Amino acid sequence: MSEREKSAQTSEKPGPPSEEANKPSATEAVVQLGQTSVPSAESHIFCLTIIGQIEGHLILPPQNKTTKYEHVIPQLIAAEQNPKIEGLLVVLNTVGGDVEAGLAIAEMISSLSKPTVTLVLGGGHSIGVPIAVSANASFIAETATMTIHPIRMNGLVIGVPQTFDYLEKMQERVTRFVTRHSNVSEQTFKELMFKTGELTRDIGTTVIGQDAVKHGLIDAVGGVGEALGELNRRIRERRLSGEGANGE
């Protein structure tokens, strides 16, 4: 076999797939995670969307729009570790969902070292309330709503005192988190939670836009522009404080 034939055969052999080929397309990222990596590569702000129902340890029916906590947690850790990401914007339009999964996401957001801002669009109901108040600053659209009600249990419920103690402890976890990360008092939050007569098939209260600010749940009424403006302001302050520390 001549040298020319050998070189032709070598050139025809497929090489290892490139990194670009292994990367998921922007469309796949949107379908799987509701997140596209195209803007995040060019922006210093990471946008996390919490939509539909927050899925916990049980898989919800396929027709439900869900936010899976096993998708959200790695994204938050990656945002914290990536030096190019300087801030996090969390956009919520959720009906709530699994209590422990929602609290886990809220705790992760509140423990990030980078500036964080949340924006409630459409709705931030049920366990979406702790997530909405978990950031450094929170905004709500004028027409957005937040439903505050007691937690529930699914499946087998045993009618013993231990069950009611467990429910009470779960409720206290949510109440403590919300009151610690917002300006609402525990008394006001519980009054909203246990109010009767407002929800036709439930106990609780639905607050709209300015009412959420009035009660101290959310910091201000605003949209994307206001939320990004506040986040960029906090990023600039962090840069200045970091430069000052480095200069010293």
Side-chain angles (χ1 to χ4, degrees):
M1 184 181 295
S2 65
E3 292 296 329
R4 181 177 297 177
E5 291 175 342
K6 288 181 180 180
S7 60
Q9 288 182 357
T10 304
S11 61
E12 291 175 0
K13 290 182 180 179
S18 64
E19 293 184 4
E20 293 295 328
N22 289 330
K23 289 182 180 178
S25 67
T27 304
E28 290 176 352
V30 170
V31 171
Q32 295 297 326
L33 303 176
Q35 171 69 37
T36 171
S37 60
V38 176
S40 62
E42 303 171 358
S43 174
H44 63 287
I45 293 174
F46 179 72
C47 180
L48 176 69
T49 55
I50 308 291
I51 55 98
Q53 193 165 348
I54 298 170
E55 188 178 272
H57 305 300
L58 299 177
I59 298 176
L60 293 172
Q63 67 268 20
N64 289 29
K65 280 191 174 295
T66 61
T67 295
K68 301 177 185 293
Y69 76 100
E70 67 267 27
H71 290 171
V72 173
I73 289 174
Q75 291 184 76
L76 289 173
I77 293 175
E80 174 71 11
Q81 290 181 315
N82 189 346
K84 295 181 180 179
I85 300 298
E86 297 184 84
L88 172 71
L89 175 65
V90 182
V91 180
L92 294 103
N93 189 5
T94 176
V95 296
D98 187 274
V99 174
E100 290 192 343
L103 279 179
I105 295 171
E107 289 283 9
M108 287 197 70
I109 295 172
S110 67
S111 62
L112 292 175
S113 65
K114 299 177 180 181
T116 55
V117 171
T118 56
L119 172 61
V120 180
L121 294 173
H125 306 293
S126 191
I127 201 61
V129 175
I131 299 176
V133 305
S134 63
N136 303 133
S138 56
F139 290 85
I140 184 170
E142 188 176 354
T143 57
T145 60
M146 301 176 75
T147 301
I148 304 160
H149 62 73
I151 64 170
R152 307 175 182 84
M153 288 184 67
N154 292 327
L156 178 64
V157 178
I158 304 174
V160 293
Q162 290 89 335
T163 300
F164 299 103
D165 291 341
Y166 174 75
L167 275 171
E168 186 176 5
K169 289 177 181 177
M170 289 278 287
Q171 190 65 70
E172 284 301 315
R173 290 165 61 191
V174 175
T175 302
R176 282 199 303 270
F177 185 92
V178 172
T179 54
R180 191 169 67 244
H181 291 87
S182 69
N183 295 318
V184 68
S185 66
E186 182 176 344
Q187 180 181 356
T188 301
F189 187 69
K190 287 186 174 180
E191 286 176 359
L192 295 171
M193 184 183 299
F194 297 117
K195 187 176 181 180
T196 58
E198 181 163 332
L199 303 181
T200 55
R201 295 184 297 171
D202 201 354
I203 295 174
T205 307
T206 296
V207 292
I208 304 173
Q210 188 60 50
D211 292 334
V213 178
K214 181 184 70 176
H215 291 301
L217 273 173
I218 301 296
D219 295 329
V221 173
V224 175
E226 289 82 1
L228 284 173
E230 175 64 20
L231 184 55
N232 280 312
R233 185 187 68 80
R234 291 176 178 270
I235 289 172
R236 287 193 297 269
E237 288 182 354
R238 188 170 186 262
R239 286 175 182 169
L240 291 173
S241 61
E243 288 173 4
N246 293 333
E248 294 172 4

